Amino acid sequence: MVYKYLTFSISIAIISWIVGMTINAILRKTAFYEKKLSNLNFIKSEKHNKIIGIGLFKWIVTNTFFKFFNQKLKLKKKIEKTDLYKLRNEMTISEIDHLIGFLFVTIFALVKLFNSQFLFGWTIMLVNIAMNLYPSLLQQENKRRIDQLLKRLS
């Protein structure tokens, strides 16, 4: 039974990536995106990121097959300021894609929880956190690092 819940959770999380990309493509054309969404920062402290395991998640992403998922998020050996702006923009797009996906999957989890299917709902949320929330938080951390580098280059 848990296998069925896990399979559904992974499937809906992957589908949420497509939903996130689609909705984000529409949102990018609005002023709201530039003013509000492009500068989100939920966890500002490196200490808090370390506590919740972003470092371990980062290691998993860089050292497993996940590193092949978004090739636009790679930094070249020679760093130019324009490349950093492009990279930051791609990170913002990826971050918002994952946040929209997180909200999409959260709806499914809440429906299961309200229907008293607690194990199913919590399984969905755990997979959702791993496949949508953590990637978004990792992008936020990387954007902060890029912002610091851009400040030093200016």
Side-chain angles (χ1 to χ4, degrees):
M1 183 158 49
V2 174
Y3 177 74
K4 179 178 108 175
Y5 296 163
L6 195 57
T7 304
F8 176 83
S9 301
I10 292 169
S11 299
I12 197 69
I14 292 171
I15 291 168
S16 77
W17 296 343
I18 298 167
V19 170
M21 286 186 275
T22 305
I23 293 173
N24 194 19
I26 296 165
L27 284 176
R28 273 187 294 207
K29 297 174 182 169
T30 66
F32 175 73
Y33 184 87
E34 281 300 317
K35 291 179 182 175
K36 301 284 183 187
L37 292 180
S38 64
N39 294 309
L40 291 176
N41 202 358
F42 298 131
I43 302 174
K44 296 176 183 170
S45 166
E46 283 187 42
K47 179 182 174 187
H48 289 115
N49 275 336
K50 193 173 187 174
I51 290 170
I52 65 169
I54 294 294
L56 174 63
F57 184 77
K58 185 179 192 175
W59 184 90
I60 291 169
V61 169
T62 56
N63 293 302
T64 63
F65 64 92
F66 289 109
K67 68 182 169 189
F68 301 111
F69 274 24
N70 194 345
Q71 293 296 306
K72 292 179 183 177
L73 298 179
K74 299 236 184 233
L75 194 58
K76 298 172 189 167
K77 295 194 184 220
K78 186 180 178 190
I79 301 171
E80 292 184 27
K81 206 172 184 180
T82 56
D83 293 335
L84 288 175
Y85 283 115
K86 288 177 188 174
L87 181 62
R88 189 186 190 289
N89 185 48
E90 288 299 326
M91 285 182 177
T92 301
I93 292 169
S94 178
E95 169 195 0
I96 303 302
D97 288 350
H98 281 291
L99 283 176
I100 293 168
F102 179 77
L103 294 173
F104 176 75
V105 175
T106 299
I107 294 168
F108 285 87
L110 290 174
V111 167
K112 293 300 180 187
L113 290 170
F114 286 135
N115 289 332
S116 299
Q117 294 178 305
F118 300 112
L119 181 61
F120 201 175
W122 287 116
T123 303
I124 292 171
M125 272 314 289
L126 287 174
V127 170
N128 190 24
I129 288 168
M131 294 180 77
N132 279 316
L133 184 61
Y134 268 50
S136 185
L137 293 174
L138 179 60
Q139 296 307 336
Q140 287 181 7
E141 179 182 318
N142 289 336
K143 282 186 347 186
R144 283 192 303 273
R145 292 171 56 214
I146 287 175
D147 289 343
Q148 289 172 352
L149 187 56
L150 285 169
K151 208 181 246 186
R152 275 190 258 148
L153 291 174
S154 294

